[in-house]
Amino acid sequence: MALRIGEILVEKGIITPVQLEKALAEQKQTKKMLGNILIAMGLVTERKFLQVLSEQQGIPFVELKDTAIDQKAIKVMPPKFVWHYKIMPIHLENNVLTVAMSNPFEVWPIDDLETHLGLRVEKVLAASSDITETARKYYGVGADTIERILSQEAPDIGTKTETKENKVEDLEKMSEDASVIRLVNQILQQAINDRATDIHIEAFREELSLRYRVDGALYDVEISDAIRHLYLAIVSRIKVMSGLDIVERRLPQDGRAKVKIGNKEYELRVSVIPALYGENIVVRILPTTMLFDVAHLGMSAKDLDSLEQLILKHHGIIFVTGPTGSGKTTTLYACLSKLNTRQRKIVTIEDPVEYELKGVTQTQVNPRIGLTFAAVLRSMLRHDPDVMMVGEVRDFETADITIQTSLTGHLVFSTLHTNDAATGVTRLIDIGVEPFLIASSVEAFIAQRLVRLVCGECKENYKLDQMSDVLKQMVQGSTTIYRGRGCKSCGYTGYAGRSGIYEILLVNEEIKKLILQKTSADVIRNKAIQSGMRTLQQSGWEKVAAGLTTPEEILRVIQ
């Protein structure tokens, strides 16, 4: 007589007889399958249970990530079957379709498939999480919802811009349709699960592109080709969510929305621009609550000490420099959070306001009505601030008022778009600021970049056989470097998370003399290095030596 699955698990030493008795007692009460009870109790993993079940039932167990998926099987299996029955087709040959499933005792999926597809179906076992992940990879985000919408509505709303009133009315109704809402929610949910900071939806001649930005890099997301038929409905739904005009398709629009995914709330910053084949959308995903702490910026102990001394000054300007997406705003918010006490009045002028800081007066500029950085700055001084943040110095007027503000006893934080710290001086001179004002008001220029960190789940060391001269200089003789091999946890990129690298140029007496002489950025940079400034490259190499990132990543962000 064949052993039951519980007895086999005990015989293999996976569970104890006492644990089996408890599970059987639970099964008697709930009538649930024994395997589900054991997994829910944490006594066995689903993968281990299915491997044992495979031996007992004589059904092969497969690791889907190591299995070649047959495109013929994908094409013959409609997404609605995949998502409804939680199965995954993997092979089709001689009218025999092989599907992976996590419950081999369900007969309805097999009967339903054989009836509708006219094929003989054979089953293999696979973990349910692997089935879901593989289905999303090959069928795309929201494939089941897309097919359901198209089968019900059969709409003809491709990427052509329609202006007829009835079409607009149809889109208004469709944007509120439960299926379209669900599709947009699935796109958002998947982006958050993938740790994306931005969602890019772009319309082209014959296709719709969906990309997520994860750790600063853009990645294509697998989607069904049929999603292009729902393009206008998706755009309309996102516009409705963010309070934008769904009829206006000729002008750029910006909006905000707040959504709850699971038990967390997220702020969505939506930007829509007209393009050749329709409107392109970028959705920035921002957590509503963020903990900003200078200790978590990724600075070395020396740089952190310098920053903490700078932000305790009573007046002067601290400029944070770097390209878009280098983490400047996060650094500024961390500094403000450090200073945010009931004894200080802090005001900010931003474009846009990315995060809400409790206890801080935040104003968003609006150039269309004349609410510019310079205009707000003039009014802010009458609010008796101790600390101010000016989102960005873009022109002479803003720079001049910012400097005058610092000279009258205020500590000011702001940003500049320059490649390194020393270039911040020449940038200010280029827009018309007098050197003596820079020397007397600016306390420091802080340049920064964000680098991706090696995934902790698949981290491994390796040797660099061939190195460029720049790389040889960076590694300084050591050739043992760490990298991420690529795994499920990091989306097979080898990286997970980001941290900052910094160079802090303190405006000391020697630097002031060079500024007054209108010396070039190279000379100022060399003098700062002689005074102890660590460059972005040196800061990056410290993270490489510590096994936190890779040489290739450092070269990518600083060159």
Side-chain angles (χ1 to χ4, degrees):
M1 182 178 176
L3 291 176
R4 295 182 176 181
I5 187 67
E7 295 169 339
I8 297 175
L9 290 168
V10 171
E11 186 179 84
K12 288 180 174 290
I14 297 171
I15 62 173
T16 66
V18 175
Q19 291 171 334
L20 176 59
E21 287 299 322
K22 288 183 179 178
L24 290 172
E26 178 75 14
Q27 183 187 35
K28 195 171 183 179
Q29 289 183 347
T30 63
K31 307 301 181 184
K32 292 181 180 178
M33 293 184 63
L34 180 63
N36 293 337
I37 294 171
L38 291 170
I39 294 168
M41 293 173 68
L43 300 177
V44 63
T45 64
E46 182 191 25
R47 182 171 270 97
K48 190 66 179 177
F49 178 80
L50 290 177
Q51 288 171 345
V52 175
L53 188 63
S54 168
E55 295 178 19
Q56 185 210 37
Q57 297 292 321
I59 303 173
F61 175 83
V62 298
E63 292 283 1
L64 287 179
K65 68 176 184 295
D66 301 325
T67 303
I69 306 298
D70 188 351
Q71 286 297 328
K72 292 183 295 183
I74 298 292
K75 290 177 181 178
V76 78
M77 173 83 81
K80 63 182 179 184
F81 286 109
V82 173
W83 297 105
H84 180 70
Y85 290 124
K86 294 180 174 57
I87 58 178
M88 180 65 202
I90 58 177
H91 189 65
L92 175 63
E93 188 174 2
N94 298 327
N95 281 340
V96 177
L97 178 65
T98 304
V99 300
M101 57 197 311
S102 59
N103 184 0
F105 303 113
E106 287 186 339
V107 295
W108 284 109
I110 305 300
D111 293 343
D112 207 2
L113 286 175
E114 290 183 338
T115 301
H116 282 84
L117 303 181
L119 301 170
R120 187 163 67 85
V121 177
E122 290 186 354
K123 56 192 174 186
V124 296
L125 296 179
S128 58
S129 59
D130 290 349
I131 290 173
T132 301
E133 182 183 347
T134 307
R136 188 176 291 118
K137 177 181 177 182
Y138 284 93
Y139 284 92
V141 177
D144 57 328
T145 306
I146 293 168
E147 184 176 45
R148 187 181 301 116
I149 296 171
L150 294 179
S151 63
Q152 292 173 355
E153 305 288 342
D156 182 19
I157 51 170
T159 56
K160 295 180 181 178
T161 301
E162 302 284 354
T163 57
K164 295 179 183 178
E165 289 185 9
N166 65 327
K167 182 59 71 177
V168 171
E169 185 181 347
D170 290 344
L171 288 173
E172 286 176 340
K173 292 177 181 177
M174 196 168 187
S175 69
E176 296 295 344
D177 181 80
S179 298
V180 175
I181 292 172
R182 183 168 183 259
L183 175 59
V184 172
N185 289 348
Q186 286 174 324
I187 293 172
L188 291 170
Q189 175 76 69
Q190 188 58 40
I192 290 168
N193 290 346
D194 290 349
R195 300 180 297 106
T197 55
D198 300 87
I199 302 171
H200 292 247
I201 303 174
E202 301 154 309
F204 299 101
R205 184 188 292 272
E206 297 292 340
E207 64 175 342
L208 190 69
S209 168
L210 176 64
R211 293 188 290 174
Y212 294 159
R213 188 179 294 279
V214 182
D215 293 333
L218 275 173
Y219 298 96
D220 281 306
V221 180
E222 186 68 33
I223 51 174
S224 166
D225 290 338
I227 197 172
R228 63 190 176 87
H229 299 297
L230 300 172
Y231 158 71
L232 289 181
I234 293 170
V235 171
S236 296
R237 173 58 193 162
I238 294 174
K239 283 184 175 181
V240 168
M241 288 173 59
S242 50
L244 301 180
D245 184 356
I246 69 170
V247 178
E248 180 56 72
R249 299 173 192 159
R250 302 163 300 168
L251 298 173
Q253 297 188 69
D254 294 304
R256 287 175 175 269
K258 189 174 283 187
V259 297
K260 188 172 184 180
I261 305 290
N263 58 357
K264 290 186 178 180
E265 285 190 351
Y266 296 88
E267 185 97 16
L268 305 181
R269 206 171 72 210
V270 178
S271 179
V272 182
I273 61 171
L276 189 60
Y277 294 102
E279 293 172 292
N280 286 358
I281 295 181
V282 174
V283 180
R284 170 67 60 88
I285 303 171
L286 303 168
T288 54
T289 55
M290 281 280 287
L291 178 63
F292 295 100
D293 188 345
V294 292
H296 296 155
L297 293 175
M299 287 186 172
S300 66
K302 180 183 176 183
D303 285 347
L304 182 58
D305 183 59
S306 296
L307 179 64
E308 290 183 332
Q309 290 184 39
L310 284 168
I311 64 178
L312 292 178
K313 291 181 178 292
H314 295 290
H315 57 82
I317 307 175
I318 299 170
F319 279 110
V320 180
T321 77
T324 301
S326 59
K328 300 187 297 296
T329 302
T330 300
T331 299
L332 292 178
Y333 277 19
C335 293
L336 294 182
S337 296
K338 179 83 172 178
L339 295 170
N340 190 10
T341 65
R342 299 305 298 169
Q343 289 73 42
R344 290 189 182 93
K345 169 77 170 183
I346 303 176
V347 295
T348 73
I349 311 165
E350 306 174 59
D351 183 23
V353 175
E354 292 199 15
Y355 298 99
E356 294 180 19
L357 295 176
K358 186 178 180 181
V360 175
T361 301
Q362 296 173 272
T363 301
Q364 180 165 319
V365 301
N366 188 350
R368 287 180 294 180
I369 61 171
L371 194 65
T372 62
F373 279 107
V376 180
L377 258 171
R378 293 190 188 94
S379 298
M380 284 298 185
L381 291 175
R382 292 190 284 273
H383 280 252
D384 187 30
D386 297 297
V387 179
M388 298 182 67
M389 185 185 97
V390 181
E392 183 184 349
V393 170
R394 302 174 180 174
D395 51 52
F396 170 73
E397 187 180 15
T398 306
D400 185 54
I401 301 173
T402 302
I403 286 172
Q404 296 301 330
T405 300
S406 71
L407 292 174
T408 54
H410 300 87
L411 180 62
V412 183
F413 295 88
S414 190
T415 69
L416 285 170
H417 282 281
T418 62
N419 289 327
D420 58 23
T423 314
V425 177
T426 55
R427 170 66 178 150
L428 290 174
I429 293 174
D430 286 344
I431 63 177
V433 180
E434 292 292 339
F436 77 90
L437 289 175
I438 300 172
S440 58
S441 63
V442 180
E443 295 292 334
F445 293 93
I446 303 173
Q448 71 174 81
R449 298 288 190 279
L450 288 177
V451 295
R452 293 178 294 175
L453 299 177
V454 173
C455 174
E457 298 294 324
C458 58
K459 185 176 179 179
E460 64 179 11
N461 66 309
Y462 72 108
K463 290 187 179 294
L464 290 168
D465 298 325
Q466 295 182 341
M467 292 185 288
S468 65
D469 292 337
V470 175
L471 208 54
K472 287 178 182 177
Q473 185 180 359
M474 284 177 63
V475 300
Q476 298 174 348
S478 172
T479 55
T480 302
I481 311 296
Y482 291 91
R483 67 180 175 188
R485 184 174 59 255
C487 65
K488 177 182 175 182
S489 178
C490 63
Y492 302 97
T493 64
Y495 297 98
R498 289 190 292 177
S499 183
I501 58 173
Y502 302 86
E503 64 179 29
I504 301 180
L505 191 159
L506 299 175
V507 183
N508 55 29
E509 292 303 320
E510 292 181 326
I511 298 297
K512 287 180 180 179
K513 291 177 183 177
L514 295 178
I515 293 173
L516 291 172
Q517 296 168 10
K518 291 189 177 181
T519 311
S520 69
D522 288 340
V523 175
I524 293 174
R525 174 185 174 84
N526 291 334
K527 176 58 70 175
I529 292 173
Q530 291 174 18
S531 300
M533 182 184 81
R534 293 162 59 260
T535 65
L536 285 170
Q537 184 168 300
Q538 289 169 332
S539 176
W541 173 240
E542 283 188 2
K543 282 186 162 47
V544 173
L548 298 176
T549 189
T550 63
E552 295 85 356
E553 178 65 8
I554 300 300
L555 293 178
R556 182 184 73 86
V557 299
I558 66 175
Q559 288 192 337

